[in-house]
Structure formats: structure tokens, C-alpha cells
Amino acid sequence: MTFETKTPVTAAPAPTLLKPEQHHSKAAEHLELAAKSHKEVAKLITANDHTGAQAHDKVAQEHLMHAQTHAEAAKKAMPAAK
């Protein structure tokens, strides 16, 4: 059985031109991708493919890092509360 491996996400600062709601949407997208990668890790471990599991775990961790970056950027871009 072959599994497609996705190209790892590279670390980059979140664009500052995005609005806070856009940063939150991007963070949510990265969290969903991380969740999918973690589910794939579980499947690969069950199939005794630990090399593939490690690769997907790395991708999941990178998506979590991007989600955190977008969450921090959203916080900085938020207007002051009235």
C-alpha cells in the first residue's frame, strides 16, 4: 500500500497585510490540516509504517506552528476594544 506524502510546509512569518479574521481563518485551516496529518499518523502506526508516520507527524507539527503564527498575527492586528 502506498501513501502520498505531502510536501512539508516551510516556516514563514504570517503576512501582516491580512485582516484579523483572515488570520483566524488561516489558523483554522492549518489546524484542520494538522488534524488530518495526525489521523494519518495513527493509521500508519497501525499499519506498522513508522517511517511514514514520522513524516506525517513532521507535517502536522509544521501546520501547528503556522496556526500559532497566524493566531499571534491576528492578536497583533486586532483593533482596540471599545
Side-chain angles (χ1 to χ4, degrees):
M1 183 186 305
T2 53
F3 292 97
E4 282 187 36
T5 57
K6 297 186 185 225
T7 306
V9 181
T10 56
T16 55
L17 300 176
L18 297 178
K19 296 177 182 177
E21 61 271 22
Q22 293 170 313
H23 280 297
H24 283 292
S25 291
K26 291 287 184 184
E29 289 172 18
H30 281 292
L31 290 171
E32 289 171 352
L33 291 169
K36 287 179 183 179
S37 288
H38 278 297
K39 287 179 182 178
E40 190 64 28
V41 168
K43 289 178 189 175
L44 291 169
I45 291 171
T46 300
N48 206 26
D49 181 2
H50 298 287
T51 303
Q54 285 180 337
H56 277 279
D57 184 61
K58 183 178 179 183
V59 171
Q61 294 303 318
E62 290 171 351
H63 280 297
L64 288 172
M65 181 178 58
H66 283 289
Q68 181 65 37
T69 302
H70 277 289
E72 290 169 359
K75 184 176 180 181
K76 289 177 185 176
M78 287 289 289
K82 295 180 183 179

